[in-house]
């Protein structure tokens, strides 16, 4: 878990300063890119689109989760460099809010992949439930689960004084059982299980698309696949860091191994946490890159067209392709 702190720990003052500066720069760039980008996505979908099919609704909720998450970054930047001065209650609330939206972001990316899987593999049958009404029933359930899984983090967060600075910190606080439970939930529910679902879905999608007669309309698959790839690249280092934290909880606190594992995880959590946050800023850029010009990609009419094409491809392209393939196979049988 990322820590809201400016402590140098046992890694030394020089290294701590360098890490804090690097993390602050990454956080600042992420905020400057992600807040306007996700705000534009939300505004375009809510104000410029009359119809909001399943794919677009999932993109909307993903953008909301990412935006709320990124709006907390100024607190992270301040606390990294000046310590946590906002009290214990705020520490718990901010951490809970962050993890609610982290889980929400991961869950909606996973649902987008499942949505594409159903559209490609079962195009006709899936149209019965891949509707705005059905997705509106699923979305509250996803948010409820995200809020539920974020509870252990709020229980762990406390304000501690480390190296003379107050720190909003969750690691090595509370019972060891609660720490292990929180880490296991975060890694498996927030990464391993979603990654497994993503891999299975896209293995089938890639195989199906490779069999299509017309392969020029795969932009939607490429766009969502790029979102998935960005998710893996941004979050993998963070969860590798969690493995070190988990290992440190299993060894004797008086041993050298405990000290070394703790030092590695303390330092690495700054940078890997900052990179993980960047995944919430990169999605609007990927939508913009879906068109030829990055500048044009952020124009509302162009973005509306991208979202409409994503929704329309599942409705028209795959059923027609399945119909054409079935027709060809029937002729060959004759």
């Amino acid at each position: 878990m990322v820590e809201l702190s400016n402590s140098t720990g046992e890694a030394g003052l020089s290294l701590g300063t360098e890490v804090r500066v690097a993390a602050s720069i990454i956080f600042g760039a992420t905020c400057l890119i992600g807040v306007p980008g996700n705000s534009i996505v939300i505004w375009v979908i809510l104000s410029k689109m009359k119809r909001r099919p399943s794919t677009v609704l999932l993109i909307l909720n993903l953008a909301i989760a990412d935006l709320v998450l990124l709006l907390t970054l100024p607190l992270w930047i301040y606390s990294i460099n000046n310590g946590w001065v906002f009290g214990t209650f705020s520490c718990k609330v901010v951490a809970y809010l962050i993890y609610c939206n982290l889980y929400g972001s991961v869950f909606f990316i996973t649902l987008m992949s499942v949505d594409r899987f159903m559209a490609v593999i079962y195009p006709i049958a899936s149209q019965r439930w891949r509707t705005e009404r059905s997705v509106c029933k699923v979305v509250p359930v996803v948010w409820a689960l995200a809020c539920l899984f974020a509870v252990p983090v709020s229980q762990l967060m406390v304000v501690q004084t480390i190296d003379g600075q107050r720190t909003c910190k969750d690691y090595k606080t509370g019972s060891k059982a609660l720490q292990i439970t929180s880490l296991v939930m975060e890694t498996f529910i927030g990464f391993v299980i979603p990654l497994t679902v993503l891999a299975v879905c896209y293995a089938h999608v890639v195989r199906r698309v490779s069999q299509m007669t017309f392969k020029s309309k795969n932009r939607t698959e490429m766009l969502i696949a790029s979102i998935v790839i960005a998710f893996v690249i941004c979050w993998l280092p963070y969860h590798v860091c969690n493995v070190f934290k988990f290992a440190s909880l299993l060894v004797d606190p008086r041993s050298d191994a405990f000290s070394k594992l703790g030092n590695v995880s303390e330092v690495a959590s700054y940078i890997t946490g900052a990179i993980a946050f960047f995944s919430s800023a990169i999605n609007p850029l990927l939508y913009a890159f879906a068109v030829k010009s990055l500048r044009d990609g952020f124009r509302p009419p162009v973005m509306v067209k991208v979202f409409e094409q994503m929704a329309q491809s599942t409705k028209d392209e795959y059923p027609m392709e399945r119909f054409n393939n079935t027709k060809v196979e029937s002729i060959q049988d004759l």
Side-chain angles (χ1 to χ4, degrees):
M1 303 173 192
V2 184
E3 297 158 5
L4 301 177
S5 127
N6 73 334
S7 63
T8 58
E10 301 176 32
L13 178 61
S14 177
L15 177 59
T17 301
E18 294 173 358
V19 171
R20 290 199 304 272
V21 170
S24 299
I25 291 174
I26 297 174
F27 278 143
T30 299
C31 189
L32 291 175
I33 295 171
V35 171
N38 284 292
S39 298
I40 291 173
V41 171
I42 295 170
W43 175 71
V44 166
I45 294 176
L46 293 179
S47 65
K48 300 298 182 179
M49 299 188 70
K50 295 181 180 180
R51 289 185 62 256
R52 302 185 188 103
S54 61
T55 303
V56 175
L57 283 174
L58 294 177
I59 290 174
L60 172 62
N61 281 273
L62 174 62
I64 292 173
D66 288 341
L67 178 61
V68 174
L69 182 66
L70 295 174
L71 288 175
T72 67
L73 284 182
L75 289 176
W76 288 72
I77 297 172
Y78 182 87
S79 64
I80 286 174
N81 294 281
N82 300 283
W84 185 262
V85 297
F86 308 106
T88 300
F89 179 75
S90 297
C91 170
K92 291 181 178 290
V93 170
V94 171
Y96 180 75
L97 183 64
I98 287 170
Y99 275 85
C100 279
N101 290 279
L102 281 176
Y103 279 117
S105 180
V106 172
F107 292 163
F108 285 116
I109 289 175
T110 305
L111 278 179
M112 286 172 63
S113 297
V114 174
D115 179 75
R116 301 308 300 180
F117 169 81
M118 297 300 298
V120 175
I121 306 302
Y122 306 106
I124 298 176
S126 65
Q127 289 184 24
R128 300 175 183 175
W129 63 270
R130 290 180 62 254
T131 63
E132 182 176 349
R133 183 176 180 180
S134 298
V135 175
C136 286
K137 294 180 180 179
V138 174
V139 166
V141 176
V142 173
W143 279 114
L145 290 173
C147 293
L148 178 63
F149 291 136
V151 169
V153 176
S154 65
Q155 300 299 313
L156 287 170
M157 300 300 291
V158 295
V159 176
Q160 296 177 320
T161 300
I162 302 176
D163 294 338
Q165 296 289 344
R166 292 179 65 79
T167 301
C168 180
K169 190 178 179 67
D170 66 308
Y171 182 45
K172 298 178 183 176
T173 64
S175 68
K176 180 175 291 189
L178 184 57
Q179 294 178 57
I180 293 175
T181 299
S182 181
L183 279 173
V184 170
M185 285 180 57
E186 183 178 349
T187 300
F188 278 87
I189 297 176
F191 188 74
V192 175
I193 295 176
L195 181 60
T196 302
V197 174
L198 296 174
V200 171
C201 287
Y202 271 97
H204 285 83
V205 168
V206 169
R207 183 174 63 181
R208 176 69 187 98
V209 170
S210 66
Q211 297 171 350
M212 291 173 58
T213 304
F214 301 99
K215 300 182 180 180
S216 60
K217 297 183 179 180
N218 296 337
R219 178 177 296 177
T220 299
E221 271 58 54
M222 294 299 296
L223 175 56
I224 298 182
S226 65
I227 294 173
V228 173
I229 292 171
F231 161 74
V232 175
I233 293 175
C234 291
W235 279 102
L236 182 59
Y238 177 78
H239 288 286
V240 171
C241 181
N242 272 357
V243 172
F244 285 98
K245 292 182 179 181
F246 181 79
S248 69
L249 292 172
L250 300 180
V251 300
D252 187 347
R254 296 166 295 182
S255 65
D256 292 338
F258 177 83
S259 178
K260 292 179 180 179
L261 288 170
N263 289 341
V264 170
S265 61
E266 288 278 348
V267 175
S269 64
Y270 283 97
I271 302 302
T272 59
I275 295 173
F277 268 86
F278 190 70
S279 66
S280 294
I282 200 171
N283 293 333
L285 295 178
L286 297 176
Y287 303 146
F289 275 120
V291 297
K292 294 182 179 179
S293 170
L294 179 62
R295 181 184 62 185
D296 291 340
F298 279 106
R299 293 172 53 194
V302 178
M303 190 165 286
V304 169
K305 185 176 180 180
V306 171
F307 293 151
E308 288 178 343
Q309 287 178 346
M310 292 177 68
Q312 192 69 16
S313 66
T314 64
K315 180 178 178 181
D316 296 334
E317 179 180 348
Y318 297 114
M320 182 60 68
E321 179 68 20
R322 178 66 58 85
F323 173 78
N324 290 338
N325 287 346
T326 304
K327 184 176 180 180
V328 170
E329 291 173 359
S330 298
I331 294 175
Q332 291 176 345
D333 291 340
L334 293 176

